[in-house]
Amino acid sequence: MQIERHAEIPSGEWDTAVEDSDDTWMFHTTRWIEMTARVWPLENRYFLAREGERMLGGFPLQIAPGGRRPWIRPRAYSIKMGTGGPFVIREVSPKTRK
């Protein structure tokens, strides 16, 4: 299994995996993630778990930049507006899920 990090991912691939998982809901979709990044000044990152070419799961991450003041640090959210988190598709073994 490989773990990959992407700033962008084809929405069809991500959303297909989101639909094939019992761990997800609307906050995991690229439509929601991209919309929140436009509303708030966020950078999106996608962590993917793959086996060969097949996407087994993922983790969305949104990063809010720090402010002009040095004490305001960048912050990372799974999803800024909603609840996200890691997910895996249904067709994985219990061992792979762990």
Side-chain angles (χ1 to χ4, degrees), residues 34-49:
E34 298 299 326
M35 183 271 305
T36 57
R38 286 190 305 272
V39 171
W40 298 83
L42 302 169
E43 296 177 24
N44 294 329
R45 296 289 183 264
Y46 299 90
F47 290 86
L48 312 179

Side-chain angles (χ1 to χ4, degrees), residues 44-98:
N44 294 329
R45 296 289 183 264
Y46 299 90
F47 290 86
L48 312 179
R50 289 190 191 275
E51 197 167 68
E53 294 295 314
R54 183 177 182 208
M55 187 173 156
L56 300 179
F59 182 73
L61 189 66
Q62 294 186 305
I63 302 167
R68 287 180 274 182
R69 298 179 185 103
W71 60 86
I72 300 177
R73 305 251 193 264
R75 293 184 182 179
Y77 302 91
S78 172
I79 299 294
K80 170 80 172 161
M81 294 174 57
T83 305
F87 69 91
V88 296
I89 61 173
R90 287 181 202 94
E91 297 98 30
V92 298
S93 69
K95 181 180 177 183
T96 301
R97 177 175 282 280
K98 283 185 178 191

